[in-house]
Amino acid sequence: MPSKDVFDPTFRRLYYIRYADDWLLGISGPMQDAIKVKEQIKTFLVSELKLTLSEEKTLITHAKTEKARFLGYDIHVLHHDAKHDKRGQRSINGVIGFRVPDEKMKTKARQYKKNGKPTHRKERTVNSDFDIIAQYQSEFRGFAQYYLLAYNAHQLHGLKRTMELSLVCTLANKFKTTVNKIFKMYKTTRETDGQSYKVLQTEVKREGKKPLIAYFGGFKLGYKKDAVIVDALPTGKVFNIKSQLIDRLINDTCELCGSSGTIEMHHVKKLKDLENNGRKEKPEWMKRMMAMRRKTLAVCLECHTKIHSGKYDGKRFVSANVG
């Protein structure tokens, strides 16, 4: 039995969370309280900040029977009387749960399908197999990693399978061969955090250096309570503008200062984010990416660190073939 009166008419709680201009309020109380708080916020925004509250986006949702959308997650209160802990007590009733929205997974999977079935991406066949695998991995890992806080993250296996088949079809189309031969050619196992995973992998050997490796898969899909969302991924997106990702990595030269050594890929999601970032005087690295019309930049560790810390002010650039 509950230790407190769950029907106490005087019990109230208000929870608040905000990320940039997205915010969420959690109210333990009657619907009238939620309506009253919404009206107070609406009045404050108009009178104090001269802003208008969007009625379309600002919704009141019952957390037990409906789901609230926040930062791409569906959020609701869990209830399952048959779910017990080691002591035999109900363990999840009343707990806030994060869920990957079904339409998000379907929309992502639709990018790799045609007529409801996984298909090849013809525009990517001009790239090397290394670039193709690296791009598929980057796209899937970015999506999957973001949703590891969801209790249904295991359902991402369906998306993974769709993208894997699309990847194999793309390679098969590129090399004019069959899907089965592509699986035999690229399939292997990879150890991650003490677990073995089946992956599709390719290597590019370099004289006197460790080989460049691109693989698809290789990490656990499932709820992770302490998951950390990482914005910068190792490979980033791949774009074919004469100079491919693999060529730029093998070149081992910073595209900003010209130094040789450990080269990393700095990338942005959209070029328009650079063009509309609000800065009157844009840093030189930003101008470089805009001029090249490229979302990636091969840079040394020192330049990469300065870019992320906002301290890069270098003026020297090496020439690059960007067509």
Side-chain angles (χ1 to χ4, degrees):
M1 293 183 60
S3 60
K4 299 178 181 179
D5 182 6
V6 295
F7 298 108
D8 183 357
T10 63
F11 181 84
R12 297 290 188 277
R13 286 291 187 275
L14 175 63
Y15 304 92
Y16 168 75
I17 185 172
R18 180 180 71 88
Y19 180 83
D21 60 347
D22 291 322
W23 47 274
L24 182 71
L25 295 178
I27 298 176
S28 293
M31 173 69 77
Q32 289 76 10
D33 284 359
I35 296 174
K36 183 179 179 180
V37 169
K38 179 180 177 180
E39 289 301 318
Q40 290 176 340
I41 293 174
K42 181 178 180 180
T43 302
F44 172 80
L45 290 175
V46 172
S47 61
E48 300 294 330
L49 303 179
K50 311 303 180 185
L51 297 175
T52 302
L53 188 69
S54 173
E55 295 291 341
E56 181 182 352
K57 295 181 179 179
T58 310
L59 307 176
I60 298 178
T61 305
H62 193 288
K64 281 189 176 181
T65 59
E66 301 172 284
K67 299 179 179 64
R69 182 66 56 84
F70 184 63
L71 300 180
Y73 277 90
D74 276 347
I75 302 176
H76 65 121
V77 174
L78 301 177
H79 186 92
H80 197 298
D81 289 336
K83 187 72 173 179
H84 298 153
D85 58 18
K86 295 181 180 179
R87 300 172 296 174
Q89 297 181 346
R90 288 172 292 187
S91 58
I92 67 171
N93 287 358
V95 175
I96 301 297
F98 293 174
R99 180 181 176 85
V100 187
D102 293 336
E103 66 269 23
K104 291 283 185 181
M105 290 187 282
K106 291 179 180 178
T107 300
K108 185 68 175 177
R110 202 174 295 125
Q111 300 174 20
Y112 308 93
K113 289 182 176 182
K114 184 177 181 179
N115 298 326
K117 296 182 179 180
T119 187
H120 68 283
R121 297 289 294 271
K122 183 66 177 178
E123 73 279 6
R124 301 186 183 185
T125 57
V126 296
N127 296 331
S128 68
D129 57 350
F130 181 96
D131 289 351
I132 293 171
I133 294 175
Q135 183 170 3
Y136 270 89
Q137 173 72 349
S138 178
E139 292 171 353
F140 176 67
R141 183 167 183 166
F143 185 88
Q145 188 182 57
Y146 184 79
Y147 284 110
L148 289 183
L149 290 170
Y151 64 80
N152 67 328
H154 62 280
Q155 294 181 355
L156 293 171
H157 279 287
L159 172 63
K160 177 178 179 290
R161 182 57 176 171
T162 296
M163 293 184 65
E164 183 180 57
L165 290 174
S166 175
L167 166 59
V168 172
C169 289
T170 301
L171 292 173
N173 184 272
K174 175 181 176 64
F175 295 115
K176 308 303 178 186
T177 185
T178 65
V179 167
N180 287 337
K181 289 182 179 179
I182 291 296
F183 269 117
K184 291 179 181 179
M185 187 184 307
Y186 290 94
K187 71 176 182 179
T188 185
T189 57
R190 186 177 182 87
E191 294 287 334
T192 303
D193 297 330
Q195 295 190 39
S196 180
Y197 298 93
K198 294 180 180 179
V199 299
L200 298 175
Q201 179 174 299
T202 186
E203 293 186 6
V204 177
K205 298 189 181 299
R206 299 185 294 174
E207 186 176 352
K209 296 181 180 179
K210 292 182 178 180
L212 295 173
I213 299 176
Y215 59 91
F216 180 80
F219 61 97
K220 183 178 180 180
L221 293 177
Y223 170 67
K224 190 176 181 182
K225 185 177 181 179
D226 57 348
V228 177
I229 298 175
V230 180
D231 292 329
L233 298 175
T235 55
K237 290 188 176 181
V238 184
F239 301 90
N240 184 44
I241 309 179
K242 288 192 177 180
S243 178
Q244 295 187 6
L245 171 63
I246 185 173
D247 297 326
R248 294 158 69 196
L249 289 173
I250 291 178
N251 191 35
D252 208 25
T253 302
C254 178
E255 292 177 345
L256 289 179
C257 69
S259 64
S260 299
T262 303
I263 298 300
E264 303 176 348
M265 298 304 295
H266 177 71
H267 66 95
V268 296
K269 291 182 179 179
K270 300 177 183 177
L271 281 174
K272 69 178 182 181
D273 292 340
L274 300 180
E275 299 168 353
N276 304 322
N277 73 335
R279 300 188 189 184
K280 292 184 179 180
E281 182 61 28
K282 302 185 186 301
E284 295 301 321
W285 67 267
M286 195 176 290
K287 293 179 181 178
R288 178 64 169 173
M289 296 184 77
M290 293 168 60
M292 295 190 304
R293 303 304 300 171
R294 180 187 284 161
K295 302 178 187 178
T296 58
L297 199 63
V299 293
C300 63
L301 178 60
E302 182 180 355
C303 288
H304 204 187
T305 302
K306 289 182 178 179
I307 288 174
H308 279 288
S309 62
K311 298 179 181 179
Y312 183 85
D313 58 358
K315 302 292 183 181
R316 179 188 171 198
F317 296 106
V318 298
S319 61
N321 180 18
V322 296

